[in-house]
Amino acid sequence: MSSKFEKYSIEETLAELNTSLNGLSETEAQERVKKYGYNEVREKKENPILKFLRKFWAPVPWMLEVTIIITYILGKYLDMYIILFLLIFNSIVSFVQERRAENAVELLKQKLNVKSRVLRDGQWKIIPARFLVPGDIIHVRLGDIIPADAKIFEGEILVDQSALTGESLPVEKKRGDVIYSSSIVKRGEASAIVIATGEKTYFGKTTELVQTARAQSHLEKLILNIVNYLMLFDVSLVITLFIYSLLLKVSLSEILPFSLIVLIASVPVALPATFTIAMALGSLELSKKGILVTRLTAAEDIASMDVLNLDKTGTITENRMRVGDPIPFNGFIKEDVVKFAYMASDEASQDPIDTAVIMCLRENNIAPEKYERIEFKPFDPSTKRTEAIVNINGKIIRVVKGAPQVIAQMSEILDIQKYHSILEELSKKGYRTISVAIGDKEGKLKLVGILPLYDRPRKDSREFINEIKKLNVKPKMVTGDNVLIAGEIARQVDIGNVICDINTIKQLEEKDRIKKIEECDVFAEVFPEDKYFIVKTLQDGGHYVGMTGDGVNDAPALKQAEVGIAVANATDVAKASSSIVLTHEGLTDIVEAIKTGRRIYQRMLTYTLNKIIKTLQVVIFLTLSFFIVRFFVATSFDVILLLFLNDFVTMSIATDNVRYSMKPERLDAGKIVKASIILAFLVIIESFFTLWLGDNILKLNVNEIHTFIFDMLLFSGQFTVYMVRERRSMLSSRPSKFLITSSIIDIIFVILISTLGILVTPIPLEDVLLILIVTFIFTVVFDHVKNISFKTVNI
């Protein structure tokens, strides 16, 4: 983070902002509110009505809307009402399921809505931070959230800015330093000049990225591609049919209704709704495991995710300073180093180093010496040490802990070269260090030892990294911490050892930039815009990107990624910007989310394959049969009824029992259509066999053939579902109870209406059962060909 005020002196800052250390007057402050605006982030809300209406502006709705117009013109009002119902039903399902519960910008606005101590009219007042303006004089102390970007002119504080920068360790801020909005004061007090508010703060600029970030909807793209394939095919058929009719002088009044049938049969009406239901049920399944999905498409995108960017601080690590393995000197033992460090620590101060020492003593069950504290001096940035005078069994001892260089000057060290060598080695590994020494109240100190400090990895991080590698997802660490710390943590959790400088990568050409980022395992010393840049560059390279995080600094990248994952201890802003929120500590739930996402993918693939196969079967069969027998073997009403009984019953695919893949999955429209064409060719052969059976063997009339063909199309559609739901034999796994039940009810219903003559022309029961048996036998035979087809196109 940087600001032009970092280089300004206090006097230059006051002059630039036209203020003084006596603060502004209320009148001046009100004028500046008009000029700079309130200290808040302006929200951008989408009108829910417009959001709902947008459901009618997409490829599938367009096809339905055109169909509605055509049916109205042709006077087929029942057909029109049925299709209109399908259109509205699909839009309502999608709108209800996709509406997000959180609003990231609203939470960002609330984050700034804190109180602040400000000097106005020469008096200190407490006002809502919303009313702060550049030039105000503020005072911050322990526990405060810094309300705006400000430059310190008095005092010294320790601030935790990990939520903004990803740095794991608090940072010392003194006179002349700039402190940033949303940081938290961990120690000390300071007065400062406000230099930026609202959207002009570092925090506010991050929110702009959050608002503009948006992952591309791969699901919308897939549906559009499938529709394009189907429409291109249908238009070709209709043109061929028109040419044929002109040659044979067939009336256009006969051709137009058929064109309508082709159009209706081609529209994947239930495709968006089925995908939405599949993702909603998957999201519900994940929620029972403590994984909350806030953007439905993430349940599908996580199946395709092949790169996962992992924030270090608070995600891979605990975001809590810990004491490593103590290094004793001068005959002391490890426990002595911790004991004496404990005596020079104060729990009430909430100092991170003191807290780490106290936790180390307790977690390792080290019994401290019985002592009486006579005097205690908390950490002073000017001396860089903490001191305590204690009474141990009547002996007065001075205990000091602090910066190794300071302690070295105060202490007797027998092997100073070894001391500096150890410090250098620890520094290379990314450790922060403090030294501990004891002595007489006024005399020379004796070095007790060194305490390495670090933000250690979570216990499950290494196991998690290995798990996602097995699932062929490449992990990358992205952190604001320095290269040494990042490299050491990456080594400990087995991410990889290729560490890259993001600024160097930005100078490369786009192609080289993408390649370099793909090769990198670790990105250190990055800013929020860098995390966003990494995600965007990987997406430009064709990757489906996941991003984990916990802080405000992660929010833009979380929102841009196909799968933004907020960990359990994440800020509200990070959670609202994410598409998946973990409620359990650690990262292992992500593995379950990937597996569930890949199961959802298999269900969606089953429906898509089935729909394309049936569409090709219906339109090609109906067209070619018209050329051969010179009449339509199915009515437009039959086709619409088929949509109801087949498409919406096959929505139960969303509940099917499936296996997850060991590699990322992608719904590739081209591959899916190629695999479908082979199977469609087979079921078209089945369809013509059925037509021959009804026309030549059973001697059915035209109306009875309509029912006979309708039954064949429906039974064939049901059996095709079970054929394509498995990459292996259709009998190799058991479908869900709901899927089986839906199919049985559907088949029984069709048998009843066909024999009783409800909605269709009645035919004998034996004819209905005959076609049921025939379609089943064909399906069993086709199942063997299916395996070859799927392997050929690799789906």
Side-chain angles (χ1 to χ4, degrees):
M1 297 185 296
S2 63
S3 164
K4 66 178 183 179
F5 289 99
E6 291 271 13
K7 299 177 182 178
Y8 284 16
S9 66
I10 300 299
E11 292 72 23
E12 288 171 331
T13 301
L14 292 171
E16 176 78 12
L17 298 169
N18 192 23
T19 187
S20 72
L21 296 181
N22 293 322
L24 302 173
S25 67
E26 286 292 350
T27 305
E28 287 175 315
Q30 289 173 13
E31 287 298 318
R32 294 193 184 198
V33 167
K34 294 177 184 177
K35 179 180 178 181
Y36 297 106
Y38 291 108
N39 183 30
E40 62 186 10
V41 180
R42 286 193 297 271
E43 58 187 309
K44 293 181 181 179
K45 286 188 176 180
E46 185 176 10
N47 187 310
I49 296 175
L50 292 177
K51 190 174 182 181
F52 175 70
L53 291 176
R54 200 172 289 118
K55 298 296 177 186
F56 297 90
W57 190 255
V60 172
W62 291 339
M63 295 178 75
L64 289 173
E65 287 153 9
V66 169
T67 308
I68 290 168
I69 293 170
I70 294 173
T71 51
Y72 176 77
I73 292 172
L74 294 176
K76 297 181 177 292
Y77 299 115
L78 178 60
D79 295 0
M80 182 191 74
Y81 290 133
I82 293 173
I83 297 169
L84 183 62
F85 168 77
L86 297 179
L87 175 65
I88 295 173
F89 173 80
N90 183 61
S91 299
I92 290 173
V93 169
S94 297
F95 176 77
V96 170
Q97 293 288 1
E98 290 175 0
R99 190 172 185 183
R100 297 183 64 178
E102 295 93 4
N103 184 302
V105 180
E106 177 65 24
L107 287 171
L108 288 166
K109 180 181 175 183
Q110 292 173 5
K111 186 81 173 179
L112 285 176
N113 197 16
V114 296
K115 299 289 185 181
S116 177
R117 300 173 200 84
V118 63
L119 187 61
R120 293 269 178 89
D121 292 322
Q123 294 183 338
W124 286 103
K125 301 177 181 179
I126 296 179
I127 65 170
R130 180 173 185 262
F131 297 107
L132 288 179
V133 292
D136 265 328
I137 303 300
I138 60 172
H139 187 78
V140 293
R141 60 190 183 192
L142 175 66
D144 284 352
I145 295 176
I146 295 171
D149 289 1
K151 188 175 183 71
I152 297 175
F153 66 85
E154 183 179 79
E156 293 180 347
I157 55 176
L158 183 73
V159 295
D160 177 1
Q161 52 189 36
S162 62
L164 288 172
T165 66
E167 295 172 287
S168 58
L169 301 176
V171 180
E172 297 284 350
K173 296 287 186 178
K174 58 185 184 301
R175 176 182 166 84
D177 289 340
V178 172
I179 50 178
Y180 293 93
S181 172
S182 198
S183 301
I184 301 171
V185 181
K186 305 299 287 185
R187 184 182 63 221
E189 295 188 30
S191 295
I193 311 156
V194 174
I195 58 173
T197 57
E199 294 174 347
K200 299 298 182 183
T201 63
Y202 183 84
F203 179 91
K205 289 174 183 175
T206 301
T207 71
E208 290 178 10
L209 279 176
V210 173
Q211 294 183 69
T212 57
R214 183 180 184 269
Q216 180 186 14
S217 174
H218 298 286
L219 185 60
E220 289 177 9
K221 186 177 178 181
L222 169 77
I223 293 172
L224 180 60
N225 285 338
I226 291 173
V227 169
N228 286 340
Y229 278 114
L230 294 177
M231 284 302 295
L232 182 64
F233 183 72
D234 292 344
V235 169
S236 301
L237 277 179
V238 170
I239 291 173
T240 304
L241 186 64
F242 267 89
I243 294 172
Y244 179 78
S245 64
L246 289 173
L247 292 175
L248 296 182
K249 297 181 180 180
V250 178
S251 172
L252 285 177
S253 61
E254 292 184 56
I255 300 301
L256 282 175
F258 175 77
S259 300
L260 175 63
I261 293 173
V262 170
L263 183 61
I264 293 171
S266 306
V267 180
V269 179
L271 186 63
T274 302
F275 280 16
T276 301
I277 290 170
M279 290 184 289
L281 291 174
S283 300
L284 182 62
E285 182 183 340
L286 288 171
S287 69
K288 293 176 181 177
K289 298 173 182 176
I291 306 164
L292 306 181
V293 177
T294 61
R295 177 169 58 81
L296 278 184
T297 53
E300 178 251 337
D301 287 336
I302 199 167
S304 306
M305 181 179 73
D306 58 335
V307 177
L308 179 58
N309 294 328
L310 296 159
D311 177 53
K312 181 189 76 68
T313 307
T315 303
I316 295 177
T317 65
E318 298 175 335
N319 195 20
R320 183 170 62 178
M321 200 178 294
R322 294 275 190 168
V323 173
D325 192 21
I327 302 168
F329 274 76
N330 297 327
F332 289 99
I333 60 174
K334 293 180 179 181
E335 286 78 3
D336 292 333
V337 186
V338 179
K339 285 179 184 179
F340 286 114
Y342 173 76
M343 294 178 189
S345 302
D346 181 29
E347 192 166 6
S349 70
Q350 297 184 28
D351 182 279
I353 294 177
D354 286 6
T355 302
V357 170
I358 294 165
M359 289 298 296
C360 177
L361 182 109
R362 292 173 180 171
E363 289 178 355
N364 291 283
N365 297 315
I366 299 173
E369 301 283 347
K370 291 185 179 180
Y371 70 96
E372 178 188 355
R373 181 180 291 171
I374 300 171
E375 185 181 336
F376 179 77
K377 293 180 182 179
F379 183 84
D380 185 342
S382 61
T383 61
K384 298 187 181 301
R385 66 179 186 268
T386 302
E387 293 189 28
I389 306 297
V390 297
N391 183 340
I392 303 177
N393 299 323
K395 186 177 181 180
I396 305 300
I397 294 177
R398 179 188 179 200
V399 183
V400 182
K401 79 175 195 304
Q405 295 80 4
V406 173
I407 302 301
Q409 292 174 359
M410 301 172 63
S411 308
E412 293 178 354
I413 304 177
L414 297 178
D415 192 344
I416 191 68
Q417 188 174 355
K418 177 184 176 184
Y419 178 73
H420 287 299
S421 175
I422 290 173
L423 291 174
E424 185 179 349
E425 187 64 29
L426 290 171
S427 177
K428 286 180 180 178
K429 291 182 178 180
Y431 286 99
R432 182 176 177 178
T433 52
I434 60 169
S435 295
V436 183
I438 62 171
D440 297 333
K441 190 172 182 181
E442 301 295 338
K444 192 77 173 176
L445 299 176
K446 185 178 182 181
L447 180 67
V448 177
I450 301 170
L451 286 180
L453 298 168
Y454 71 114
D455 180 18
R456 74 180 184 189
R458 294 181 183 275
K459 293 179 180 178
D460 60 352
S461 291
R462 187 182 180 90
E463 179 187 352
F464 163 74
I465 296 297
N466 290 329
E467 281 285 332
I468 64 169
K469 283 182 178 179
K470 289 177 184 176
L471 291 168
N472 288 289
V473 177
K474 182 174 176 57
K476 295 179 183 291
M477 181 193 291
V478 185
T479 178
D481 249 330
N482 68 54
V483 173
L484 293 173
I485 294 175
E488 177 62 18
I489 295 296
R491 184 192 63 78
Q492 290 180 30
V493 299
D494 197 27
I495 281 183
N497 54 15
V498 181
I499 304 175
C500 299
D501 175 47
I502 193 64
N503 293 317
T504 303
I505 292 175
K506 285 182 176 180
Q507 308 303 317
L508 301 174
E509 295 292 327
E510 182 180 3
K511 186 178 179 181
D512 295 330
R513 202 162 54 217
I514 292 171
K515 184 180 179 182
K516 191 65 177 175
I517 286 182
E518 287 174 337
E519 293 171 351
C520 286
D521 299 314
V522 179
F523 300 91
E525 299 178 18
V526 300
F527 296 119
E529 57 268 27
D530 296 328
K531 294 183 180 183
Y532 175 86
F533 169 79
I534 291 166
V535 170
K536 195 75 174 62
T537 304
L538 286 166
Q539 289 173 332
D540 293 341
H543 295 279
Y544 279 45
V545 185
M547 176 76 203
T548 69
D550 67 337
V552 176
N553 64 312
D554 303 315
L558 287 170
K559 193 172 182 185
Q560 176 62 33
E562 277 86 359
V563 188
I565 305 170
V567 296
N569 61 342
T571 62
D572 287 341
V573 175
K575 289 178 180 178
S577 301
S578 301
S579 48
I580 292 177
V581 179
L582 307 181
T583 60
H584 298 147
E585 289 291 330
L587 298 169
T588 51
D589 282 348
I590 297 176
V591 174
E592 187 57 41
I594 294 172
K595 292 177 180 178
T596 301
R598 291 182 184 179
R599 291 189 190 100
I600 293 170
Y601 166 88
Q602 293 296 338
R603 293 164 187 152
M604 291 160 64
L605 178 61
T606 298
Y607 177 84
T608 306
L609 284 166
N610 181 67
K611 177 58 187 176
I612 296 175
I613 291 168
K614 300 319 294 177
T615 297
L616 294 175
Q617 176 193 18
V618 170
V619 298
I620 295 176
F621 171 62
L622 293 182
T623 303
L624 294 181
S625 63
F626 176 74
F627 292 161
I628 295 169
V629 299
R630 303 294 179 85
F631 67 86
F632 296 117
V633 296
T635 67
S636 59
F637 180 79
D638 290 339
V639 176
I640 293 174
L641 187 59
L642 191 67
L643 286 178
F644 263 101
L645 297 179
N646 239 353
D647 275 11
F648 282 96
V649 168
T650 52
M651 282 187 183
S652 56
I653 291 169
T655 68
D656 194 19
N657 297 324
V658 290
R659 296 172 292 113
Y660 63 85
S661 170
M662 292 304 293
K663 67 182 192 315
E665 300 275 22
R666 296 194 184 183
L667 286 166
D668 186 312
K671 288 183 177 180
I672 293 171
V673 171
K674 287 176 184 176
S676 301
I677 287 173
I678 298 172
L679 296 175
F681 176 75
L682 296 175
V683 294
I684 289 169
I685 293 174
E686 173 190 357
S687 302
F688 275 107
F689 175 82
T690 305
L691 178 59
W692 172 81
L693 192 65
D695 191 21
N696 294 286
I697 304 301
L698 300 179
K699 304 295 182 180
L700 302 175
N701 62 40
V702 172
N703 290 330
E704 288 173 334
I705 284 177
H706 287 163
T707 304
F708 196 65
I709 294 301
F710 167 77
D711 290 357
M712 179 274 298
L713 291 173
L714 188 132
F715 295 152
S716 174
Q718 287 299 308
F719 293 143
T720 301
V721 170
Y722 295 93
M723 178 175 65
V724 300
R725 63 174 290 275
E726 262 290 351
R727 309 288 83 83
R728 304 168 296 177
S729 166
M730 62 185 289
L731 302 176
S732 60
S733 66
R734 183 175 180 177
S736 68
K737 290 181 181 178
F738 189 60
L739 177 57
I740 294 174
T741 304
S742 298
S743 294
I744 292 173
I745 292 173
D746 203 24
I747 291 170
I748 291 174
F749 177 77
V750 170
I751 292 172
L752 288 174
I753 66 171
S754 298
T755 53
L756 297 176
I758 302 171
L759 302 176
V760 294
T761 302
I763 58 175
L765 175 61
E766 54 268 26
D767 290 355
V768 178
L769 295 178
L770 174 64
I771 195 59
L772 180 64
I773 294 168
V774 168
T775 52
F776 178 76
I777 292 172
F778 268 105
T779 303
V780 172
V781 174
F782 295 161
D783 186 50
H784 297 287
V785 182
K786 170 211 70 179
N787 296 332
I788 300 171
S789 170
F790 285 179
K791 287 179 181 178
T792 302
V793 297
N794 192 28
I795 65 169

